[in-house]
Amino acid sequence: MVSDERALALQLAGLDDARLAETFAARSVSAAVGWRDFFDAAEGLLEPASIDRALTRLPRRALASLAAAVDGGRAATDAVPETLQLLVDGATPQAVAERVRRLHRAHPTAFDARADDAPGPASTAQEAAAAERAFTATGALADLLLGADHTSLTLTATGTVSASDRRRLLEAGIVADAEELDDLVAVARAAGLVDARDREATVSDGGDRWLRLPTAARWEHAMTGVHAALPAGVRDEANGLQPVSLWPDGYPLDDDWPALARQWARIVVRWGLFADDGAEPSWTRSLRETGSVSASALLPHLPAEIDKVYLQADLSVIAPGPLQPDLELRLRRIAARESRAQASTYRFTGESLDAGLADGETAASIRAFLGELSLTGIPQPLEYLVDSTAERHGAVRVRSDVQRDLTVVETDDPDRREALSVDQALRPLGLVLDDGVLLTRVGRDAVSWALADARYPVTVIGDDGRPTSPRRSRRTTAASAPAPARYDELIARLRSGHSTDSDEAWLERELEQAVRARAAVRVTVRMPDGSDRELTLEASGLGGGRLRGLDRAADVERTLPLRSIVAVAPAE
């Protein structure tokens, strides 16, 4: 084990900072751990409890590989994640072998190898049903992102959506139940469509681009993210997906895995990667054969998207099929959707049009858009509603005062100004009346959305003095975090404490451990004439470049220069 610690320490020292951070994160190392050098790190990673945590996270294939290595073979390095550092130069350290043997005795079936099985092919009817689920799930995720773009989702400490937001989304009909919401959020995070930080989930720039894609491209992007996020324990050797019936057994030592496996299984079935009974549609078979997700086989099964609707005199809109996503996005800026299916209905209201005007539309742009979209022209009642709403809109104006770093809210109506100043819904803005206008330190766009949510006819004035469209706060989601910042200090300390002369550093470490344990050691000393002499000492002190200890054979205290010691071994 001593040589294993030394070999692992040298292996760790050879990793770059990003790989070290990944290793520490994978092994659940605390950033506050008191390691001084890489020898301490190696010792910590080879502790039984640390090894057990790492083994718990291994898929069945890796456990079987380690069990074979312990029985005299060599572990398949591609089966054991490198970030767990369970192997040293492809060999199994003694400490790891001992823990594998112990766990193997306690859970013998967990280490049994299992051949990759291919799911059975889906029938034509099953493929049609899977495609319909894929279409529905893609639309549901778009609804969720649109809702989060208007009001960001509040997260709990565990990363789930808060109870109040769950209730809001359920009442709005965006999701059918809490389980569907959890699954949609998991897909959105896997695909990089939301940025979840600081107990808040907002739509990322990638999510904004995703909303403008056709349905097939939306599905392909989302499932590419899911495929990348799925753990190795549910994949086959070709990077395809194993039958979902095998997923709960993918990590046989992890007690938390079955619940997570059930969620991933729900997701892939809900999104049409598998039939209800686990059969494999042609587009999932392509994934297994090529290792990448493609919507080309799914596309013929999706309903055709349309670019025209019927506008009714009762202010409703009938879309006889799924609208092209870019057209639906714009329509939903000015109309509220009442029902969603392959044929959907929408309705214009003063509030929906006012929201569109707050988002940068004008009466002229709305009429132009509807004129191109409608198969029946623009009914007179709708023309009147657009004009009257536009005339009323802009009674409250929001602009930035760059010099004072403030946001200005102004209106020509004294009664409305008074209402704004006392409105309890706007209290978090901290509006202060000053010379006929209201001032706040909250950002311009945030103020405009707060006013719009409180049903005020607000217009945002840009820096050029013209109306502009406010945007919800949106942060770009980083694709990866190569070196979590929390390990920066630890890694710097390990590097500063690591000697470039590994032999000398390891020798000092062995002597330090002997002194702490008051252990007897055999030291080999290089004499002035070049010969070597072996002494057995009970180590008692180390400092000033010298080792002190009791020579048992001569029963005298000796002090030896460290530069003269060439080897150390435990006394027999």
Side-chain angles (χ1 to χ4, degrees):
M1 181 174 176
V2 170
S3 61
D4 287 339
E5 284 186 13
R6 180 179 181 183
L8 180 56
L10 296 178
Q11 186 167 298
L12 292 171
L15 300 178
D16 60 31
D17 289 358
R19 285 288 308 280
L20 272 176
E22 290 174 3
T23 295
F24 295 155
R27 294 291 291 269
S28 300
V29 173
S30 169
V33 68
W35 295 341
R36 298 168 299 168
D37 54 31
F38 285 110
F39 295 120
D40 285 347
E43 182 182 9
L45 294 181
L46 289 176
E47 288 179 351
S50 178
I51 295 173
D52 285 351
R53 285 195 300 269
L55 292 176
T56 297
R57 298 170 188 172
L58 286 182
R60 178 178 294 277
R61 187 184 303 114
L63 291 174
S65 177
L66 282 177
V70 168
D71 288 339
R74 286 177 64 86
T77 55
D78 60 340
V80 182
E82 292 183 3
T83 51
L84 292 180
Q85 296 296 320
L86 289 172
L87 304 175
V88 177
D89 296 328
T92 311
Q94 179 183 343
V96 175
E98 290 175 355
R99 302 313 299 174
V100 169
R101 292 190 187 99
R102 182 183 293 269
L103 288 172
H104 198 172
R105 289 193 296 269
H107 309 278
T109 60
F111 292 80
D112 292 343
R114 184 178 60 196
D116 287 336
D117 294 326
S123 65
T124 301
Q126 286 177 318
E127 283 201 341
E132 183 175 353
R133 289 197 304 274
F135 174 81
T136 301
T138 305
L141 181 55
D143 290 344
L144 177 64
L145 293 183
L146 287 171
D149 194 38
H150 185 267
T151 304
S152 60
L153 300 177
T154 303
L155 305 178
T156 65
T158 60
T160 59
V161 178
S162 66
S164 59
D165 279 349
R166 285 175 183 267
R167 185 167 52 254
R168 173 173 61 85
L169 295 171
L170 287 169
E171 292 174 352
I174 293 177
V175 293
D177 50 46
E179 188 176 85
E180 181 185 4
L181 175 59
D182 290 339
D183 293 350
L184 289 176
V185 171
V187 173
R189 298 181 75 163
L193 307 182
V194 296
D195 181 18
R197 268 184 285 167
D198 303 326
R199 302 283 185 92
E200 184 182 53
T202 57
V203 180
S204 67
D205 288 340
D208 187 44
R209 292 189 295 270
W210 184 86
L211 284 169
R212 303 178 189 282
L213 295 174
T215 299
R218 284 178 172 180
W219 179 88
E220 181 175 306
H221 181 97
M223 291 302 96
T224 297
V226 167
H227 180 248
L230 284 171
V234 304
R235 303 172 187 268
D236 57 27
E237 292 185 355
N239 204 33
L241 300 180
Q242 295 180 356
V244 291
S245 60
L246 302 179
W247 289 16
D249 200 33
Y251 290 82
L253 295 179
D254 188 352
D255 293 337
D256 296 330
W257 167 247
L260 188 58
R262 287 192 294 271
Q263 181 183 23
W264 281 122
R266 283 197 314 267
I267 288 173
V268 296
V269 171
R270 189 190 301 271
W271 282 78
L273 284 176
F274 288 96
D276 285 330
D277 64 352
E280 184 181 60
S282 56
W283 47 89
T284 308
R285 184 167 62 254
S286 173
L287 164 62
R288 181 163 49 82
E289 294 169 350
T290 66
S292 60
V293 178
S294 173
S296 57
L298 172 67
L299 185 58
H301 298 271
L302 296 176
E305 295 173 344
I306 63 173
D307 61 357
K308 298 293 181 181
V309 300
Y310 296 97
L311 300 183
Q312 307 293 303
D314 64 353
L315 303 180
S316 66
V317 183
I318 299 176
L323 266 176
Q324 293 177 3
D326 57 335
L327 297 179
E328 189 197 23
L329 282 178
R330 189 170 180 188
L331 178 61
R332 291 182 65 176
R333 290 170 66 182
I334 56 177
R337 195 181 65 194
E338 293 189 326
S339 67
R340 188 184 194 283
Q342 291 193 20
S344 303
T345 59
Y346 307 81
R347 183 169 299 278
F348 293 102
T349 64
E351 289 182 353
S352 69
L353 288 170
D354 204 49
L357 293 168
D359 202 26
E361 293 282 3
T362 65
S365 69
I366 292 174
R367 281 195 295 269
F369 169 64
L370 296 180
E372 295 178 358
L373 186 66
S374 175
L375 289 167
T376 54
I378 304 177
Q380 186 175 2
L382 180 55
E383 286 262 19
Y384 173 77
L385 182 62
V386 170
D387 290 340
S388 61
T389 303
E391 182 178 351
R392 181 178 62 90
H393 187 78
V396 178
R397 299 174 296 281
V398 179
R399 59 180 174 84
S400 297
D401 187 332
V402 179
Q403 292 183 343
R404 292 188 290 176
D405 193 25
L406 297 172
T407 297
V408 180
V409 179
E410 53 190 3
T411 177
D412 298 329
D413 185 346
D415 294 335
R416 179 171 278 129
R417 187 184 307 121
E418 178 66 21
L420 287 167
S421 65
V422 298
D423 193 328
Q424 291 298 308
L426 303 178
R427 188 174 181 180
L429 298 181
L431 295 171
V432 177
L433 185 62
D434 180 60
D435 196 21
V437 298
L438 297 167
L439 303 178
T440 175
R441 294 191 178 279
V442 179
R444 183 196 65 185
D445 288 356
V447 172
S448 70
W449 283 114
L451 292 172
D453 291 343
R455 304 294 189 266
Y456 286 98
V458 60
T459 297
V460 177
I461 306 300
D463 295 336
D464 58 0
R466 293 183 296 182
T468 186
S469 173
R471 300 294 293 170
R472 290 291 182 182
S473 174
R474 186 173 290 137
R475 300 173 296 202
T476 303
T477 302
S480 61
R486 65 182 184 276
Y487 291 115
D488 287 351
E489 184 177 344
L490 172 60
I491 292 172
R493 184 168 69 249
L494 296 181
R495 296 211 184 279
S496 64
H498 185 67
S499 173
T500 56
D501 188 338
S502 61
D503 291 335
E504 179 183 345
W506 181 250
L507 179 66
E508 289 190 20
R509 178 176 180 82
E510 288 183 301
L511 293 175
E512 286 177 358
Q513 291 178 333
V515 169
R516 285 199 298 267
R518 308 290 293 186
V521 293
R522 288 185 292 108
V523 295
T524 302
V525 183
R526 182 69 43 83
M527 305 303 290
D529 60 1
S531 62
D532 291 343
R533 180 181 177 186
E534 189 174 277
L535 300 172
T536 300
L537 302 179
E538 185 178 306
S540 59
L542 184 68
R546 294 177 178 274
L547 171 68
R548 297 187 305 280
L550 175 64
D551 184 339
R552 288 182 171 179
D555 196 26
V556 297
E557 186 83 16
R558 295 189 184 275
T559 301
L560 304 176
L562 293 183
R563 65 176 180 272
S564 299
I565 300 175
V566 296
V568 179
E572 296 179 355

